[in-house]
Amino acid sequence: MAAKKNGLGKGLDSLIADKVNKPGAAKAAETKEPGTDATMMNINKVEPNRDQPRKKFDEDALLELSESIKQFGVLQPLLVQKRDDYYEIIAGERRWRAAKLAGIKEVPVIVKQLTEQEIMEISLIENIQREDLNPIEEALAYKRLLTEFNLKQDEVAERVSKSRTAVTNAMRLLKLDDRVQQMVIDEMLTTGHARAIIGIEDPEKQYITAQKIFDEKLSVRDTEKLVKNLQNEKKNAPQPEKKLDPKIEAIYKDLEEQMKGILGTKVCINAKNEKSGKLEIEYYSQDELDRIIDLIRTVHA
């Protein structure tokens, strides 16, 4: 499904500046903010969007914002959409949480009627612009736009004003083991560390390496060297031989005995698989080698 271009990549300011109370949009409250498109609404009528990309909020930052709100109020309206018996936050959950902490009874809101895709895009844009998302939350939001709304990576990149490479690199973090992803969320690892660990395929080794990075406080460069060494060790490690089917092995043993009887010396068939391998014929002197060669020539002739 091709995504329509609706200017979302331009940022929130252009969205919020639009005339919002379209035909059919619900009336938010009785009180209109003078000189704005916002209306004042009882804070208890507003609830967060459970599907918004951001899941983690810095408690200290919220307390700091709540102190500011106590002095100056909520300066930027929340963007909301009418649900059955409440208004769901599209953008501004951090302000809503801080206002609750500050004991504010009413908040300015702008009501919009939007599709689920537009709500997801706006929530993602708001958080990216304010650098509020951790790398894993951002990657999950991109993945949701791709899977739930059938967008392509270049379309997602256009909507959030990022390069396609940036979106691709962000989503690669989802290849990490869940425990390593949590370490990124908890800021135990940087994005640079996480990207280096992606080079390790085994989830358990990813986690062990991540713990080593954290415990030893390795730099990103040191991490890249560590991962490269691990990859070289795996590459140079002897590969276990694949065992043949016992019936095939029995046939090869019989062939070895037949050739031993014909050539009069030890013969060994080393099979890699059922179609290829190596044939070894032993000799113990130059005369014996000449004899074996003469026998083969005679058979060939």
Side-chain angles (χ1 to χ4, degrees), residues 205-220:
K205 287 184 178 178
Q206 282 184 359
Y207 181 54
I208 292 170
T209 304
Q211 288 181 310
K212 180 181 178 69
I213 293 165
F214 179 72
D215 292 340
E216 299 181 13
K217 296 179 172 57
L218 299 182
S219 67
V220 173

Side-chain angles (χ1 to χ4, degrees), residues 6-9 11-16 18 22 49 52-53 78-81 89-92 95 112-130 133 145 149 159-160:
N6 52 11
L8 287 172
L12 277 180
D13 291 341
S14 62
L15 285 167
I16 295 176
D18 292 343
K22 300 177 183 177
N49 176 4
Q52 87 122 319
L78 282 63
L79 200 60
V80 300
Q81 172 149 296
I89 299 171
I90 299 170
R95 276 163 275 150
K112 268 192 175 270
Q113 293 291 86
L114 301 170
T115 65
E116 292 301 316
Q117 179 177 330
E118 287 172 329
I119 291 171
M120 180 64 186
E121 290 173 351
I122 292 171
S123 298
L124 179 55
I125 291 165
E126 181 197 35
N127 285 300
I128 287 176
Q129 286 184 343
R130 291 172 171 78
L133 294 180
L145 285 172
F149 303 112
R159 274 163 165 65
V160 298

Side-chain angles (χ1 to χ4, degrees), residues 191-239:
T191 307
H193 289 115
R195 284 177 180 161
I197 297 173
I198 293 171
I200 303 172
E201 294 180 2
D202 183 79
E204 191 62 34
K205 287 184 178 178
Q206 282 184 359
Y207 181 54
I208 292 170
T209 304
Q211 288 181 310
K212 180 181 178 69
I213 293 165
F214 179 72
D215 292 340
E216 299 181 13
K217 296 179 172 57
L218 299 182
S219 67
V220 173
R221 181 167 292 184
D222 289 337
T223 300
E224 290 170 346
K225 289 179 181 177
L226 174 63
V227 172
K228 188 174 182 180
N229 290 337
L230 290 172
Q231 289 172 328
N232 288 336
E233 286 176 10
K234 181 181 177 182
K235 187 177 180 181
N236 297 328
Q239 299 297 316

Side-chain angles (χ1 to χ4, degrees), residues 157-172:
E158 180 184 355
R159 274 163 165 65
V160 298
S161 298
K162 295 260 188 178
S163 68
R164 184 182 180 190
T165 302
V167 172
T168 301
N169 286 337
M171 291 186 62
R172 288 180 69 235

Side-chain angles (χ1 to χ4, degrees), residues 130-301:
R130 291 172 171 78
E131 299 182 350
D132 283 341
L133 294 180
N134 65 57
I136 302 302
E137 287 174 334
E138 184 175 347
L140 288 170
Y142 292 150
K143 181 181 179 181
R144 188 177 170 206
L145 285 172
L146 288 168
T147 56
E148 289 188 27
F149 303 112
N150 299 318
L151 295 179
K152 297 177 181 177
Q153 284 197 12
D154 53 352
E155 292 172 328
V156 172
E158 180 184 355
R159 274 163 165 65
V160 298
S161 298
K162 295 260 188 178
S163 68
R164 184 182 180 190
T165 302
V167 172
T168 301
N169 286 337
M171 291 186 62
R172 288 180 69 235
L173 296 178
L174 299 180
K175 294 180 179 179
L176 292 169
D177 179 78
D178 289 344
R179 294 166 294 178
V180 180
Q181 290 186 32
Q182 190 59 50
M183 292 176 73
V184 176
I185 293 171
D186 295 338
E187 299 182 352
M188 297 169 68
L189 299 174
T190 68
T191 307
H193 289 115
R195 284 177 180 161
I197 297 173
I198 293 171
I200 303 172
E201 294 180 2
D202 183 79
E204 191 62 34
K205 287 184 178 178
Q206 282 184 359
Y207 181 54
I208 292 170
T209 304
Q211 288 181 310
K212 180 181 178 69
I213 293 165
F214 179 72
D215 292 340
E216 299 181 13
K217 296 179 172 57
L218 299 182
S219 67
V220 173
R221 181 167 292 184
D222 289 337
T223 300
E224 290 170 346
K225 289 179 181 177
L226 174 63
V227 172
K228 188 174 182 180
N229 290 337
L230 290 172
Q231 289 172 328
N232 288 336
E233 286 176 10
K234 181 181 177 182
K235 187 177 180 181
N236 297 328
Q239 299 297 316
E241 292 184 4
K242 294 181 179 178
K243 291 187 177 181
L244 293 173
D245 185 288
K247 292 180 180 179
I248 302 295
E249 281 190 341
I251 292 172
Y252 283 147
K253 287 294 180 186
D254 184 56
L255 287 173
E256 286 178 352
E257 290 301 317
Q258 290 182 43
M259 294 184 71
K260 181 179 178 181
I262 294 170
L263 298 176
T265 187
K266 185 177 179 181
V267 176
C268 184
I269 299 175
N270 295 316
K272 293 180 180 178
N273 51 50
E274 295 179 9
K275 295 183 179 179
S276 64
K278 184 168 59 175
L279 176 65
E280 292 182 355
I281 303 173
E282 292 191 13
Y283 65 92
Y284 305 98
S285 68
Q286 185 63 44
D287 289 341
E288 189 169 23
L289 175 61
D290 291 340
R291 180 184 64 79
I292 293 169
I293 291 173
D294 286 340
L295 275 171
I296 294 173
R297 283 174 177 166
T298 300
V299 173
H300 180 67

